[in-house]
Amino acid sequence: MAERPVPSVPPAPADPADRMTTAAPSPSPSPSARPPASLLDHPLRWRTALPMLLLLIALPPVALLLREEFYIGLATRVLVFALAATSLNLVLGFGGMVSFGHAAFVGLGAYAVGILMQQGVTSAWIAWPAAMAASALFALLVGAISLRTRGVYFIMITLAFAQMLYYLMVSLKTWGGDDGLALPGRSSVAAGFDLASDTRFYYVVLALCVLAFLGIQRLLNARFGHVLQALRENETRMGAIGFPAYRHQLVAFTLAGGLAGLAGALLANQSGFVSPALLQWNQSGLLLVMVILGGVGHLWGGVVGAVVFLLLEEVLSAHTLHWQFALGAVLLAVVLAAPRGLAGWRRGRSA
Amino acid sequence: MQTVAASPSRPPMLATLAAFAALACAAPLAQAADAVKVGLLSTLSGPGAGLGVDIRDGFQLAVKQGGGKLGGLPAEVVVADDQQSPDVARQTADRLIKRDKVDFMTGIVFSNVMLAVGAPTFQSKTFYVSANAGPSQYAGEQCNPYFFSASYQNDNLHEAVGKTVADKGFKRVALLAPNYPAGKDALAGFKRFYKGEIALESYTPLNQLDYGAEIAKMRAAKPDAVYIFLPGGLGINFIKQFVGSGLSKDMTLFGPGFSADEDVIRAVGAPMLGMFNSSLWAHDLDNAANKRFVADFQKEYGRLPTLYAAQGYDAARLIDGAVRDVKGRLDDKAAVRKALEAARFESVRGPFRFNTNHFPIQDYYLRVVTQDAQGRVTNRTLGTVFRNHADAYVGACKMPAA
Amino acid sequence: MTGAGVLVLEQSLNGLQFGLMLFLLAAGLTLVFGIMDMINLAHGSLYMVGAYLVATAAVASDSFWLGLAAGIAGTAVLGMLLEVAVLRRLYQRDHLSQVLGTFAILLMANEGVRMLWGSQPVALNPPAGLAGPVELLPGFLYPAYRLLIIGVGLAVAALLYVLVTRTRIGMRVRAGASNREMARAMGVDVRRLFTAVFGFGAALCALAGGLLGPLLAVQVGMGESILILAFVVIVIGGIGSIRGAFFGALLVGVVDTAGRALIPLAFDHWLGPEAAAGAGPALASILIYLLMAAVLFWKPRGLFPAHG
């Protein structure tokens, strides 16, 4: 593998096969009095985040008023994918690791919930942490092996692991195999408070997603997050000053896996159905597309990408039979016209 | 380190969310109560597409014959594609039930898709009238007041061929079916009536189209008859490869009606001559409803109907009869159920009645692929294998109160 | 020949046949990845469009061979148009953008085909003379059509070998694969070379699609499952290396076919036919990915790397 030169200004990728990441995101605009924000910081901007949160909180009563309960379920699904996409953004955008097997972690979390429910364990307090643990463990295993490679080889090996898990679940007929596993109901949170109601489930999912998102944001602005992003920019230099890449990236990878597992657990509850299709490479590709669409390395990248993609899909499919064509056209336009994804589109241009 | 004094720009998210919320509200709103809404979810793409298209065409022909009405109420049929995926079907069914608020659901071809869609459909108290899938689970232990089969129970057609193969004296049989609930039902049904030696029992993935491996195994196992259950495109591929490999010279090929129906005949043609198959319906059945159906279908679509089309047609007529019986009061679920159970309609099969588990009790015929008087390759009915045949699972069904 | 012997021989031929078709796809993919350094998720779409064009032309001209020729030519032209119009802009972008862009093209191709030909599969039959069996050994019949595929596959492999190692354009291709900047500096007209390579890859895809059409089904989305296997093949073989694609494809083809036939037989006794049937294809696929993971771990550049 070609040696990377130690650059002094924003690094250009030296090894062509290693051309994985986009340039660093533009720095956030600095408000008047405070010192310039670090390149690696990602402020939350409550001015826009808070109204959005209020909008999300108001959604179920509005939907119920319009007698369109279906959209509460849809919104739940969008939130879950936003969580999954954000967890991928953690390793992809901020860690610089292109994982083509992320759907495996989501699917594993979903299966954990499904299998436990089939065995009679319906409590969310047991099943959901178990899902996160299972996915984190699998991510640890995959990361431990894959992170020894780089570039396109990293992509292919993460893909390989995901596909192996997929084929394993297809072959296990006790848990449905190719036909999938239907869940008898949703996880139970407490006696008398069941999640069968779409509205209640939506609020639980919203709360969890907000917590997870805030957690990621805090992490990114803390030392670990800075180290991770710096590693994305220049591993050799970071290694020289005492931050070995492998360890930090593995931690990030495992963490992202765990969060993806949570997303999977919520997804299983939302659709009431788990099947190996959740683990396939097409799903991993879909998650990648969402993150790229929303903006790799931007705090809101995963969320924006998931929201835009899924809503686009829903709206287009209601209006035309050939919506996939329109969807593809939109994606292509975004790639060609908005190189930093949608979240990076409106930001100021920088070197 | 550079900082750029860019003007603060709002992330596009707020704007995008608002825009989409507005667009989403433009989506169809809840329908008025004086129409019948039917969700026809079927396989309209992939190798199984021909089957779904036939069900859809048969169903829509019945609605057209009724002047666009079912049971006197204007009918709105929402057609959707399940892409033969239980995953996609589940989400689409969710949309049909919750967003479009359909009164009846129908159309599913494949049993694995059916089993995924069943539970949420029944839970929402929506009636499902099956135009094909008849999994053994819904005939026995998981029988449900909201499930009605206007077709058959999966095992039945295979039972009929099993009996035929046994009666004809074949000693060694190779079996082949896809590895999903209906495939397992199929071979279970076959083995219920054929008690001879099984030289080979293979299950293939539902999306497998290349049967080279299975044909190689058959060649090595040397059976004297081969029984396949391979619906639609799967059957077309297998039969072509079977004939191409030379095995058809030494082994007689049997199948259920679906593997030897008009769609397969159109694709394979003369190499299929002599294939025996069983069916609950044939286009030459002699009753008034069938004659009208076959004639109208040919006029409307320019081809002979298959078993699937006949079942789709009957499903529509069953719904039509039930809606007429309750005089359009679809909210009274108990009354609709009773009306469906009574099954007051003229089926293209002749007299039609339900068993206690909402599956039909009917006759099964033996057909063979031959050339008719005009030289066309088609099926000819040879005789009746079973009369008033019930399925094997009705005993296990304890129908819960709705 | 004994039953078991016949089974092994027949499955070996099937594996060879599958592997050679996989090679056609992998060859185009490895060239594009190796020379233009582009991840092309739309490669499977070229295979699909090729199959559709062959099927339509074959039905229209009532001749399989004419249909095949027309389909290959048409797809090559389409591929080159696509390259000039859209894909050229993605070469300088990072791999992620290429993933997104080619994924978008994949969606558009799928839907475009559906709009033009409908959702139902299109029928494609083998040439009339080859629809039956051929007696390879006394008592052993093998489908003539599969033999044709093997023949064509080997011929194309030989042709590619000659092209790449003995001709000037092949030399330029190899130069481009091992060091693009140097090749450009030495005066190779890179843009035209890229378009030609892409068109050639598209033609190979169409050939594979047209040949496999009668065996499988010409349907929307047929490219996706085989695309992922093609990526596995080029990783195992070595990105940019035709020789690697050849041996990688044969290896994958044989492992896959052998696995599908033999593993269920092995498990039949313990698990019964249903469970064995579920385990068989799954294990065969897992084996392939394990193989790839092993190659990546010990020989990351593949078995026959294109670079020095």
Side-chain angles (χ1 to χ4, degrees), chain A residues 16 19-20 153 156 163 167 171 289 292 322 325 328 335 339, chain C residues 37 92-93 95-96 100 104 111 115 235 282 289 292 296 300:
Chain A
R19 219 170 7 115
M20 286 301 121
Y153 307 109
M156 293 307 287
Q163 288 288 96
Y167 282 110
S171 67
V289 165
I292 301 171
H322 302 294
F325 195 85
V335 170
Chain C
D37 194 24
Q92 296 308 314
R93 305 282 297 275
H95 285 306
L96 281 182
L100 184 61
E111 200 54 45
M115 289 196 283
V235 167
Y289 285 100
M292 180 178 85
L296 275 176

PDB file of all heavy atoms in Angstrom, chain A residues 16 19-20 153 156 163 167 171 289 292 322 325 328 335 339, chain C residues 37 92-93 95-96 100 104 111 115 235 282 289 292 296 300:
ATOM      1  N   PRO A  16      -4.963   6.102  -4.467  1.00  0.00           N
ATOM      2  CA  PRO A  16      -6.235   6.159  -5.198  1.00  0.00           C
ATOM      3  C   PRO A  16      -7.252   5.166  -4.676  1.00  0.00           C
ATOM      4  O   PRO A  16      -8.420   5.485  -4.592  1.00  0.00           O
ATOM      5  CB  PRO A  16      -5.857   5.804  -6.638  1.00  0.00           C
ATOM      6  CG  PRO A  16      -4.407   6.065  -6.725  1.00  0.00           C
ATOM      7  CD  PRO A  16      -3.818   5.902  -5.360  1.00  0.00           C
ATOM      8  N   ARG A  19      -9.401   6.454  -1.728  1.00  0.00           N
ATOM      9  CA  ARG A  19     -10.120   7.713  -1.868  1.00  0.00           C
ATOM     10  C   ARG A  19     -11.533   7.562  -1.350  1.00  0.00           C
ATOM     11  O   ARG A  19     -12.502   7.527  -2.100  1.00  0.00           O
ATOM     12  CB  ARG A  19     -10.148   8.085  -3.346  1.00  0.00           C
ATOM     13  CG  ARG A  19      -9.970   9.532  -3.585  1.00  0.00           C
ATOM     14  CD  ARG A  19      -9.762   9.887  -5.044  1.00  0.00           C
ATOM     15  NE  ARG A  19      -9.901   8.864  -6.002  1.00  0.00           N
ATOM     16  CZ  ARG A  19     -10.854   8.848  -6.933  1.00  0.00           C
ATOM     17  NH1 ARG A  19     -11.774   9.797  -6.948  1.00  0.00           N
ATOM     18  NH2 ARG A  19     -10.897   7.905  -7.830  1.00  0.00           N
ATOM     19  N   MET A  20     -11.640   7.464  -0.066  1.00  0.00           N
ATOM     20  CA  MET A  20     -12.919   7.089   0.513  1.00  0.00           C
ATOM     21  C   MET A  20     -13.739   8.266   0.963  1.00  0.00           C
ATOM     22  O   MET A  20     -14.941   8.276   0.880  1.00  0.00           O
ATOM     23  CB  MET A  20     -12.694   6.195   1.747  1.00  0.00           C
ATOM     24  CG  MET A  20     -12.267   4.812   1.377  1.00  0.00           C
ATOM     25  SD  MET A  20     -13.481   4.037   0.342  1.00  0.00           S
ATOM     26  CE  MET A  20     -12.503   3.708  -1.069  1.00  0.00           C
ATOM     27  N   TYR A 153     -10.901  -2.618   0.154  1.00  0.00           N
ATOM     28  CA  TYR A 153     -10.871  -3.931   0.796  1.00  0.00           C
ATOM     29  C   TYR A 153     -11.688  -3.909   2.075  1.00  0.00           C
ATOM     30  O   TYR A 153     -12.342  -4.883   2.426  1.00  0.00           O
ATOM     31  CB  TYR A 153      -9.421  -4.361   1.059  1.00  0.00           C
ATOM     32  CG  TYR A 153      -8.610  -4.278  -0.199  1.00  0.00           C
ATOM     33  CD1 TYR A 153      -7.643  -3.297  -0.371  1.00  0.00           C
ATOM     34  CD2 TYR A 153      -8.846  -5.159  -1.257  1.00  0.00           C
ATOM     35  CE1 TYR A 153      -6.929  -3.207  -1.538  1.00  0.00           C
ATOM     36  CE2 TYR A 153      -8.136  -5.068  -2.422  1.00  0.00           C
ATOM     37  CZ  TYR A 153      -7.177  -4.091  -2.569  1.00  0.00           C
ATOM     38  OH  TYR A 153      -6.478  -4.001  -3.733  1.00  0.00           O
ATOM     39  N   MET A 156     -15.278  -4.259   1.036  1.00  0.00           N
ATOM     40  CA  MET A 156     -15.673  -5.610   0.629  1.00  0.00           C
ATOM     41  C   MET A 156     -15.730  -6.559   1.810  1.00  0.00           C
ATOM     42  O   MET A 156     -16.585  -7.446   1.861  1.00  0.00           O
ATOM     43  CB  MET A 156     -14.693  -6.140  -0.425  1.00  0.00           C
ATOM     44  CG  MET A 156     -14.760  -5.400  -1.745  1.00  0.00           C
ATOM     45  SD  MET A 156     -16.423  -5.309  -2.431  1.00  0.00           S
ATOM     46  CE  MET A 156     -16.666  -6.977  -2.973  1.00  0.00           C
ATOM     47  N   GLN A 163     -23.151 -10.259   4.405  1.00  0.00           N
ATOM     48  CA  GLN A 163     -23.765 -11.272   3.552  1.00  0.00           C
ATOM     49  C   GLN A 163     -23.740 -12.636   4.234  1.00  0.00           C
ATOM     50  O   GLN A 163     -24.691 -13.414   4.123  1.00  0.00           O
ATOM     51  CB  GLN A 163     -23.028 -11.353   2.205  1.00  0.00           C
ATOM     52  CG  GLN A 163     -23.273 -10.159   1.294  1.00  0.00           C
ATOM     53  CD  GLN A 163     -24.674 -10.161   0.714  1.00  0.00           C
ATOM     54  OE1 GLN A 163     -25.573  -9.512   1.237  1.00  0.00           O
ATOM     55  NE2 GLN A 163     -24.878 -10.895  -0.353  1.00  0.00           N
ATOM     56  N   TYR A 167     -27.012 -14.914   4.840  1.00  0.00           N
ATOM     57  CA  TYR A 167     -27.240 -16.291   4.410  1.00  0.00           C
ATOM     58  C   TYR A 167     -27.465 -17.209   5.601  1.00  0.00           C
ATOM     59  O   TYR A 167     -28.207 -18.189   5.512  1.00  0.00           O
ATOM     60  CB  TYR A 167     -26.069 -16.777   3.550  1.00  0.00           C
ATOM     61  CG  TYR A 167     -26.147 -16.242   2.151  1.00  0.00           C
ATOM     62  CD1 TYR A 167     -25.250 -15.292   1.681  1.00  0.00           C
ATOM     63  CD2 TYR A 167     -27.160 -16.663   1.294  1.00  0.00           C
ATOM     64  CE1 TYR A 167     -25.352 -14.789   0.408  1.00  0.00           C
ATOM     65  CE2 TYR A 167     -27.263 -16.158   0.018  1.00  0.00           C
ATOM     66  CZ  TYR A 167     -26.359 -15.218  -0.422  1.00  0.00           C
ATOM     67  OH  TYR A 167     -26.467 -14.715  -1.685  1.00  0.00           O
ATOM     68  N   SER A 171     -30.867 -19.555   6.190  1.00  0.00           N
ATOM     69  CA  SER A 171     -30.845 -21.003   6.346  1.00  0.00           C
ATOM     70  C   SER A 171     -31.514 -21.462   7.632  1.00  0.00           C
ATOM     71  O   SER A 171     -31.914 -22.610   7.745  1.00  0.00           O
ATOM     72  CB  SER A 171     -29.400 -21.505   6.313  1.00  0.00           C
ATOM     73  OG  SER A 171     -28.724 -21.031   7.458  1.00  0.00           O
ATOM     74  N   VAL A 289     -26.708   5.332   0.875  1.00  0.00           N
ATOM     75  CA  VAL A 289     -27.295   6.363   0.022  1.00  0.00           C
ATOM     76  C   VAL A 289     -27.926   7.464   0.865  1.00  0.00           C
ATOM     77  O   VAL A 289     -27.773   8.648   0.574  1.00  0.00           O
ATOM     78  CB  VAL A 289     -28.343   5.740  -0.927  1.00  0.00           C
ATOM     79  CG1 VAL A 289     -29.224   6.799  -1.546  1.00  0.00           C
ATOM     80  CG2 VAL A 289     -27.661   4.947  -2.017  1.00  0.00           C
ATOM     81  N   ILE A 292     -25.115   9.598   2.324  1.00  0.00           N
ATOM     82  CA  ILE A 292     -24.451  10.401   1.295  1.00  0.00           C
ATOM     83  C   ILE A 292     -25.373  11.518   0.836  1.00  0.00           C
ATOM     84  O   ILE A 292     -24.963  12.656   0.630  1.00  0.00           O
ATOM     85  CB  ILE A 292     -24.054   9.523   0.090  1.00  0.00           C
ATOM     86  CG1 ILE A 292     -23.116   8.404   0.532  1.00  0.00           C
ATOM     87  CG2 ILE A 292     -23.382  10.358  -0.970  1.00  0.00           C
ATOM     88  CD1 ILE A 292     -22.869   7.382  -0.541  1.00  0.00           C
ATOM     89  N   HIS A 322     -44.274   4.965 -11.610  1.00  0.00           N
ATOM     90  CA  HIS A 322     -42.862   4.852 -11.956  1.00  0.00           C
ATOM     91  C   HIS A 322     -42.012   5.773 -11.108  1.00  0.00           C
ATOM     92  O   HIS A 322     -41.118   6.442 -11.600  1.00  0.00           O
ATOM     93  CB  HIS A 322     -42.672   5.156 -13.439  1.00  0.00           C
ATOM     94  CG  HIS A 322     -43.479   4.240 -14.308  1.00  0.00           C
ATOM     95  ND1 HIS A 322     -43.238   2.890 -14.382  1.00  0.00           N
ATOM     96  CD2 HIS A 322     -44.536   4.478 -15.103  1.00  0.00           C
ATOM     97  CE1 HIS A 322     -44.103   2.343 -15.210  1.00  0.00           C
ATOM     98  NE2 HIS A 322     -44.912   3.272 -15.655  1.00  0.00           N
ATOM     99  N   PHE A 325     -38.047   5.836 -10.951  1.00  0.00           N
ATOM    100  CA  PHE A 325     -37.307   6.580 -11.962  1.00  0.00           C
ATOM    101  C   PHE A 325     -37.058   8.003 -11.479  1.00  0.00           C
ATOM    102  O   PHE A 325     -35.946   8.518 -11.567  1.00  0.00           O
ATOM    103  CB  PHE A 325     -38.107   6.597 -13.270  1.00  0.00           C
ATOM    104  CG  PHE A 325     -37.293   7.020 -14.451  1.00  0.00           C
ATOM    105  CD1 PHE A 325     -36.535   6.102 -15.141  1.00  0.00           C
ATOM    106  CD2 PHE A 325     -37.276   8.334 -14.857  1.00  0.00           C
ATOM    107  CE1 PHE A 325     -35.769   6.488 -16.228  1.00  0.00           C
ATOM    108  CE2 PHE A 325     -36.511   8.740 -15.937  1.00  0.00           C
ATOM    109  CZ  PHE A 325     -35.759   7.809 -16.628  1.00  0.00           C
ATOM    110  N   GLY A 328     -34.496   8.003  -8.704  1.00  0.00           N
ATOM    111  CA  GLY A 328     -33.146   7.876  -9.235  1.00  0.00           C
ATOM    112  C   GLY A 328     -32.670   9.187  -9.848  1.00  0.00           C
ATOM    113  O   GLY A 328     -31.532   9.602  -9.647  1.00  0.00           O
ATOM    114  N   VAL A 335     -26.113  14.092  -6.685  1.00  0.00           N
ATOM    115  CA  VAL A 335     -24.701  13.706  -6.787  1.00  0.00           C
ATOM    116  C   VAL A 335     -23.937  14.678  -7.663  1.00  0.00           C
ATOM    117  O   VAL A 335     -22.845  15.127  -7.330  1.00  0.00           O
ATOM    118  CB  VAL A 335     -24.560  12.288  -7.378  1.00  0.00           C
ATOM    119  CG1 VAL A 335     -23.110  12.006  -7.712  1.00  0.00           C
ATOM    120  CG2 VAL A 335     -25.055  11.273  -6.407  1.00  0.00           C
ATOM    121  N   PRO A 339     -22.222  18.187  -4.304  1.00  0.00           N
ATOM    122  CA  PRO A 339     -21.213  17.193  -3.953  1.00  0.00           C
ATOM    123  C   PRO A 339     -21.137  16.889  -2.466  1.00  0.00           C
ATOM    124  O   PRO A 339     -20.718  15.815  -2.082  1.00  0.00           O
ATOM    125  CB  PRO A 339     -19.893  17.836  -4.411  1.00  0.00           C
ATOM    126  CG  PRO A 339     -20.266  18.919  -5.334  1.00  0.00           C
ATOM    127  CD  PRO A 339     -21.626  19.362  -4.966  1.00  0.00           C
TER     128      PRO A 339
ATOM    129  N   ASP C  37     -10.957   3.388 -11.899  1.00  0.00           N
ATOM    130  CA  ASP C  37     -11.105   3.482 -10.442  1.00  0.00           C
ATOM    131  C   ASP C  37     -12.523   3.900 -10.075  1.00  0.00           C
ATOM    132  O   ASP C  37     -12.741   4.761  -9.225  1.00  0.00           O
ATOM    133  CB  ASP C  37     -10.096   4.482  -9.864  1.00  0.00           C
ATOM    134  CG  ASP C  37     -10.001   4.349  -8.356  1.00  0.00           C
ATOM    135  OD1 ASP C  37     -10.329   3.266  -7.838  1.00  0.00           O
ATOM    136  OD2 ASP C  37      -9.634   5.333  -7.694  1.00  0.00           O
ATOM    137  N   GLN C  92     -13.556  11.540 -11.240  1.00  0.00           N
ATOM    138  CA  GLN C  92     -12.728  12.307 -10.315  1.00  0.00           C
ATOM    139  C   GLN C  92     -13.311  12.355  -8.922  1.00  0.00           C
ATOM    140  O   GLN C  92     -12.655  12.778  -7.993  1.00  0.00           O
ATOM    141  CB  GLN C  92     -12.571  13.753 -10.834  1.00  0.00           C
ATOM    142  CG  GLN C  92     -11.832  13.852 -12.143  1.00  0.00           C
ATOM    143  CD  GLN C  92     -10.511  13.122 -12.089  1.00  0.00           C
ATOM    144  OE1 GLN C  92      -9.751  13.251 -11.136  1.00  0.00           O
ATOM    145  NE2 GLN C  92     -10.249  12.314 -13.096  1.00  0.00           N
ATOM    146  N   ARG C  93     -14.554  11.907  -8.784  1.00  0.00           N
ATOM    147  CA  ARG C  93     -15.188  12.010  -7.474  1.00  0.00           C
ATOM    148  C   ARG C  93     -14.747  10.842  -6.583  1.00  0.00           C
ATOM    149  O   ARG C  93     -14.177   9.877  -7.059  1.00  0.00           O
ATOM    150  CB  ARG C  93     -16.708  11.992  -7.648  1.00  0.00           C
ATOM    151  CG  ARG C  93     -17.210  13.073  -8.596  1.00  0.00           C
ATOM    152  CD  ARG C  93     -17.244  14.407  -7.915  1.00  0.00           C
ATOM    153  NE  ARG C  93     -18.180  14.397  -6.820  1.00  0.00           N
ATOM    154  CZ  ARG C  93     -19.480  14.613  -6.942  1.00  0.00           C
ATOM    155  NH1 ARG C  93     -20.004  14.870  -8.114  1.00  0.00           N
ATOM    156  NH2 ARG C  93     -20.260  14.578  -5.887  1.00  0.00           N
ATOM    157  N   HIS C  95     -15.224   7.593  -4.012  1.00  0.00           N
ATOM    158  CA  HIS C  95     -15.987   6.360  -4.215  1.00  0.00           C
ATOM    159  C   HIS C  95     -17.425   6.471  -3.743  1.00  0.00           C
ATOM    160  O   HIS C  95     -18.336   5.873  -4.307  1.00  0.00           O
ATOM    161  CB  HIS C  95     -15.300   5.188  -3.509  1.00  0.00           C
ATOM    162  CG  HIS C  95     -14.075   4.720  -4.236  1.00  0.00           C
ATOM    163  ND1 HIS C  95     -14.110   4.363  -5.566  1.00  0.00           N
ATOM    164  CD2 HIS C  95     -12.818   4.530  -3.824  1.00  0.00           C
ATOM    165  CE1 HIS C  95     -12.896   3.981  -5.935  1.00  0.00           C
ATOM    166  NE2 HIS C  95     -12.101   4.072  -4.905  1.00  0.00           N
ATOM    167  N   LEU C  96     -17.634   7.219  -2.672  1.00  0.00           N
ATOM    168  CA  LEU C  96     -18.987   7.345  -2.139  1.00  0.00           C
ATOM    169  C   LEU C  96     -19.937   7.990  -3.142  1.00  0.00           C
ATOM    170  O   LEU C  96     -21.059   7.543  -3.339  1.00  0.00           O
ATOM    171  CB  LEU C  96     -18.974   8.181  -0.861  1.00  0.00           C
ATOM    172  CG  LEU C  96     -18.520   7.468   0.391  1.00  0.00           C
ATOM    173  CD1 LEU C  96     -18.608   8.409   1.561  1.00  0.00           C
ATOM    174  CD2 LEU C  96     -19.382   6.254   0.639  1.00  0.00           C
ATOM    175  N   LEU C 100     -23.342   6.478  -4.919  1.00  0.00           N
ATOM    176  CA  LEU C 100     -24.648   7.122  -4.995  1.00  0.00           C
ATOM    177  C   LEU C 100     -25.088   7.314  -6.436  1.00  0.00           C
ATOM    178  O   LEU C 100     -26.223   7.015  -6.800  1.00  0.00           O
ATOM    179  CB  LEU C 100     -24.603   8.475  -4.276  1.00  0.00           C
ATOM    180  CG  LEU C 100     -25.936   9.211  -4.208  1.00  0.00           C
ATOM    181  CD1 LEU C 100     -26.963   8.399  -3.464  1.00  0.00           C
ATOM    182  CD2 LEU C 100     -25.780  10.564  -3.551  1.00  0.00           C
ATOM    183  N   ALA C 104     -28.181   5.489  -8.323  1.00  0.00           N
ATOM    184  CA  ALA C 104     -29.280   6.231  -8.943  1.00  0.00           C
ATOM    185  C   ALA C 104     -29.537   5.714 -10.354  1.00  0.00           C
ATOM    186  O   ALA C 104     -30.693   5.527 -10.763  1.00  0.00           O
ATOM    187  CB  ALA C 104     -28.953   7.719  -8.980  1.00  0.00           C
ATOM    188  N   GLU C 111     -36.447   0.956 -13.494  1.00  0.00           N
ATOM    189  CA  GLU C 111     -37.764   1.501 -13.773  1.00  0.00           C
ATOM    190  C   GLU C 111     -37.946   1.752 -15.258  1.00  0.00           C
ATOM    191  O   GLU C 111     -39.024   1.552 -15.801  1.00  0.00           O
ATOM    192  CB  GLU C 111     -37.954   2.796 -12.977  1.00  0.00           C
ATOM    193  CG  GLU C 111     -39.388   3.199 -12.805  1.00  0.00           C
ATOM    194  CD  GLU C 111     -40.235   2.104 -12.202  1.00  0.00           C
ATOM    195  OE1 GLU C 111     -39.790   1.470 -11.226  1.00  0.00           O
ATOM    196  OE2 GLU C 111     -41.348   1.866 -12.719  1.00  0.00           O
ATOM    197  N   MET C 115     -40.868   0.427 -17.580  1.00  0.00           N
ATOM    198  CA  MET C 115     -41.752   1.288 -18.368  1.00  0.00           C
ATOM    199  C   MET C 115     -41.827   0.830 -19.816  1.00  0.00           C
ATOM    200  O   MET C 115     -42.880   0.887 -20.438  1.00  0.00           O
ATOM    201  CB  MET C 115     -41.252   2.743 -18.312  1.00  0.00           C
ATOM    202  CG  MET C 115     -41.455   3.382 -16.952  1.00  0.00           C
ATOM    203  SD  MET C 115     -41.320   5.175 -16.943  1.00  0.00           S
ATOM    204  CE  MET C 115     -39.576   5.411 -17.026  1.00  0.00           C
ATOM    205  N   VAL C 235     -12.637  -9.049  -6.429  1.00  0.00           N
ATOM    206  CA  VAL C 235     -11.811  -8.884  -5.234  1.00  0.00           C
ATOM    207  C   VAL C 235     -10.921 -10.103  -5.051  1.00  0.00           C
ATOM    208  O   VAL C 235      -9.733  -9.981  -4.762  1.00  0.00           O
ATOM    209  CB  VAL C 235     -12.690  -8.659  -3.991  1.00  0.00           C
ATOM    210  CG1 VAL C 235     -11.871  -8.805  -2.730  1.00  0.00           C
ATOM    211  CG2 VAL C 235     -13.317  -7.296  -4.046  1.00  0.00           C
ATOM    212  N   ALA C 282     -27.451 -21.731   1.387  1.00  0.00           N
ATOM    213  CA  ALA C 282     -26.940 -20.716   2.309  1.00  0.00           C
ATOM    214  C   ALA C 282     -25.475 -20.986   2.629  1.00  0.00           C
ATOM    215  O   ALA C 282     -24.644 -20.086   2.587  1.00  0.00           O
ATOM    216  CB  ALA C 282     -27.771 -20.704   3.574  1.00  0.00           C
ATOM    217  N   TYR C 289     -18.246 -16.176   0.579  1.00  0.00           N
ATOM    218  CA  TYR C 289     -17.844 -14.953   1.275  1.00  0.00           C
ATOM    219  C   TYR C 289     -16.675 -15.196   2.222  1.00  0.00           C
ATOM    220  O   TYR C 289     -15.809 -14.346   2.393  1.00  0.00           O
ATOM    221  CB  TYR C 289     -19.031 -14.337   2.013  1.00  0.00           C
ATOM    222  CG  TYR C 289     -19.968 -13.661   1.059  1.00  0.00           C
ATOM    223  CD1 TYR C 289     -21.139 -14.287   0.629  1.00  0.00           C
ATOM    224  CD2 TYR C 289     -19.680 -12.413   0.547  1.00  0.00           C
ATOM    225  CE1 TYR C 289     -21.973 -13.684  -0.272  1.00  0.00           C
ATOM    226  CE2 TYR C 289     -20.510 -11.800  -0.356  1.00  0.00           C
ATOM    227  CZ  TYR C 289     -21.647 -12.440  -0.759  1.00  0.00           C
ATOM    228  OH  TYR C 289     -22.477 -11.845  -1.667  1.00  0.00           O
ATOM    229  N   MET C 292     -13.689 -15.106   0.152  1.00  0.00           N
ATOM    230  CA  MET C 292     -13.283 -13.734  -0.153  1.00  0.00           C
ATOM    231  C   MET C 292     -12.622 -13.076   1.053  1.00  0.00           C
ATOM    232  O   MET C 292     -11.599 -12.408   0.928  1.00  0.00           O
ATOM    233  CB  MET C 292     -14.487 -12.896  -0.589  1.00  0.00           C
ATOM    234  CG  MET C 292     -14.095 -11.466  -0.912  1.00  0.00           C
ATOM    235  SD  MET C 292     -15.439 -10.466  -1.488  1.00  0.00           S
ATOM    236  CE  MET C 292     -16.158  -9.922   0.029  1.00  0.00           C
ATOM    237  N   LEU C 296      -8.904 -11.612   1.216  1.00  0.00           N
ATOM    238  CA  LEU C 296      -8.659 -10.218   1.613  1.00  0.00           C
ATOM    239  C   LEU C 296      -7.681 -10.129   2.762  1.00  0.00           C
ATOM    240  O   LEU C 296      -6.905  -9.192   2.868  1.00  0.00           O
ATOM    241  CB  LEU C 296      -9.978  -9.558   2.014  1.00  0.00           C
ATOM    242  CG  LEU C 296     -10.788  -8.979   0.865  1.00  0.00           C
ATOM    243  CD1 LEU C 296     -12.106  -8.457   1.389  1.00  0.00           C
ATOM    244  CD2 LEU C 296     -10.012  -7.865   0.194  1.00  0.00           C
ATOM    245  N   PRO C 300      -4.377  -9.320   0.191  1.00  0.00           N
ATOM    246  CA  PRO C 300      -5.356  -8.252   0.004  1.00  0.00           C
ATOM    247  C   PRO C 300      -5.476  -7.769  -1.437  1.00  0.00           C
ATOM    248  O   PRO C 300      -6.521  -7.271  -1.835  1.00  0.00           O
ATOM    249  CB  PRO C 300      -4.849  -7.111   0.886  1.00  0.00           C
ATOM    250  CG  PRO C 300      -3.808  -7.688   1.750  1.00  0.00           C
ATOM    251  CD  PRO C 300      -3.310  -8.945   1.131  1.00  0.00           C
TER     252      PRO C 300
END
